[in-house]
Amino acid sequence: MGSNSSRIGDLPKNEYLKKLSGTESVSENDPFWNQLLSFSFPAPTSSTELKLLEEATISVCRSLVENNPRTGNLGALIKVFLSRTKELKLSAECQNHIFIWQTHNALFIICCLLKVFICEMSEEELQLHFTYEEKSPGNYSSDSEDLLEELLCCLMQLITDIPLLDITYEISVEAISTMVVFLSCQLFHKEVLRQSISHKYLMRGPCLPYTSKLVKTLLYNFIRQEKPPPPGAHVFPQQSDGGGLLYGLASGVATGLWTVFTLGGVGSKAAASPELSSPLANQSLLLLLVLANLTDASDVPNPYRQAIMSFKNTQDSSPFPSSIPHAFQINFNSLYTALCEQQTSDQATLLLYTLLHQNSNIRTYMLARTDMENLVLPILEILYHVEERNSHHVYMALIILLILTEDDGFNRSIHEVILKNITWYSERVLTEISLGSLLILVVIRTVQYNMTRTRDKYLHTNCLAALANMSAQFRSLHQYAAQRIISLFSLLSKKHNKVLEQATQSLRGSLSSNDVPLPDYAQDLNVIEEVIRMMLEIINSCLTNSLHHNPNLVYALLYKRDLFEQFRTHPSFQDIMQNIDLVITFFSSRLLQAGAELSVERVLEIIKQGVVALPKDRLKVTLIEDLLYTRCFEISRIEIQICGRGAA
């Protein structure tokens, strides 16, 4: 590196890097640092190039690991960076491009080194490397300044205090990325850390007062979605629209963190990496999620999670209770808009879940919105394209629906929102349909996809739980939605009969051969019967609570009445079949009285008249057993218990 542009292949032989990592100590006041930091670097544009960068610099980094206890050059580099950041705000105001460029380069080198150090050594060794000074070999002082703590505090100050301008955009992104790299320590531990250096520095001491300001800044970065400045406005040459080199480096680490966020992602399809329009917003979101989901320390709760749980709307003038630490206010309307627009990424969906689940102020605000379709439609698209999404994205979308459907007001209002021309729904042309009916269609499609492909019991249980939460408020169901409800029951019925037949044949075969182990058809049958009962309870709840609002469901029920015959006397379903059997019998008799060759319109008219004539007290009101799930499968509360299963 140095005053000229560097290439990846030249890095192992670079004289400045050799001096940094060599046996000679370099004072923090040495002119060498100006020479080292005056470089430009073509940003890698692929994971292959990032891997080449790591391979090219690993020898330099390992040399520094070996020599730093004698030279203290890592500490000198950090002190150079820290001294420069003190003037960074003034440099931004004065448009001092060169100064900001060199400060950025110092941070870039620190982050590259930090990533290797974290990979190569324990946390104790890492902390020691930040204490080595230019003294006798291997000597360090426990009373010396804590450079690692100073570095983290400095990064927090940089993120929260430096104005976001064209010339500061890159260093802001890379300050956030460096914190992501620092937090990757968990990746290299099988057990969940509760006393790591993350807990030591970020939850106590000088960094703690920055908690609410940092969380607020990261949220606003996500809200604003600021794009990188045009190439001519960059502080240093830029060959990619995706952010600086360090952004690519830290994104790789963040991807490693993301894969172990235990949302069902192990062994699932990897998420496609869409082109990012705002590296700053993306990295801010990743850092926010990692901070918020750090485990509590042994004696201190996670302050970043506390901040996320308690922030309020800027329009809320009520005082914060004194018991709530790290509280702040943010514009909920802007946050809601950003969340609606960014649901194509699974990290944005996780943020939405986190806010809905943990912040009651946000949840109340969102449920009171009159434009919920802007939020619900992107979630439904995620579920509709289930085959293109990784499993944790699908689960998060589904859990969000479960949270929303816990609210009766939401369940009523979605049937009042009329949508036109849903272009992404390709099974059938939907020129006009309520949001509620569309939600039912998408959830049923997800169940059917799961039954034929992934066969995940928890997925269809959660899908049916969402339908159960809604069922008492079903209103004016679209005829296609009503058909799909009965079609799903038909599919389950056929599957039940098939497994029952297999179990019978297997039992007969066992009489002639005692040595052959039998498949566990009884367990399969129990699972299917459990799901069938859930479907019957959903239908029963709708008939009991909103029969007069759903003639299309009654029509579909009568059209497929034969499906329900076998379950009338089944001991597992007799109780729940009483109302369904009553409705089928009552309306069948009225259709019989009306004569044959009835048109669809005439049948619907008879159903509407019959609804008025059917005494309500004849329908037995039952509770939906086990189905009014309040997030029945919360994916371990989806709180990203980072249980390091791999490396970045």
Side-chain angles (χ1 to χ4, degrees), residues 411-483:
N411 294 333
R412 286 190 296 270
S413 65
I414 56 175
H415 292 288
E416 298 169 1
V417 178
I418 304 301
L419 308 170
K420 296 181 183 295
N421 300 318
I422 308 300
T423 55
W424 48 263
Y425 193 94
S426 59
E427 274 83 354
R428 177 165 173 161
V429 177
L430 299 175
T431 55
E432 186 171 290
I433 189 171
S434 71
L435 180 60
S437 290
L438 180 63
L439 194 157
I440 293 168
L441 287 175
V442 173
V443 170
I444 287 176
R445 184 181 183 275
T446 306
V447 174
Q448 291 180 321
Y449 174 85
N450 180 60
M451 288 176 63
T452 56
R453 304 286 184 86
T454 57
R455 298 181 181 179
D456 182 343
K457 175 186 175 182
Y458 294 105
L459 184 63
H460 66 240
T461 299
N462 281 276
C463 287
L464 294 177
L467 293 179
N469 288 348
M470 298 168 55
S471 58
Q473 279 84 34
F474 281 172
R475 296 290 188 275
S476 304
L477 291 184
H478 191 279
Q479 60 180 17
Y480 185 52
Q483 290 170 14

Side-chain angles (χ1 to χ4, degrees), residues 327-340:
F328 63 92
Q329 291 180 291
I330 202 167
N331 188 307
F332 277 14
N333 182 61
S334 300
L335 179 58
Y336 178 81
T337 301
L339 286 167
C340 293

Side-chain angles (χ1 to χ4, degrees), residues 291-361:
L291 286 171
N293 291 283
L294 287 172
T295 54
D296 293 335
S298 55
D299 57 341
V300 179
N302 181 349
Y304 304 94
R305 184 181 299 134
Q306 288 181 323
I308 281 188
M309 291 173 64
S310 59
F311 71 84
K312 298 193 305 185
N313 195 352
T314 50
Q315 296 180 352
D316 187 347
S317 58
S318 61
F320 283 103
S322 58
S323 60
I324 298 181
H326 316 297
F328 63 92
Q329 291 180 291
I330 202 167
N331 188 307
F332 277 14
N333 182 61
S334 300
L335 179 58
Y336 178 81
T337 301
L339 286 167
C340 293
E341 293 173 350
Q342 300 300 320
Q343 288 307 305
T344 51
S345 75
D346 43 6
Q347 54 264 41
T349 305
L350 179 57
L351 176 63
L352 174 59
Y353 162 79
T354 302
L355 295 176
L356 278 172
H357 177 44
Q358 297 187 2
N359 191 313
S360 59
N361 300 319

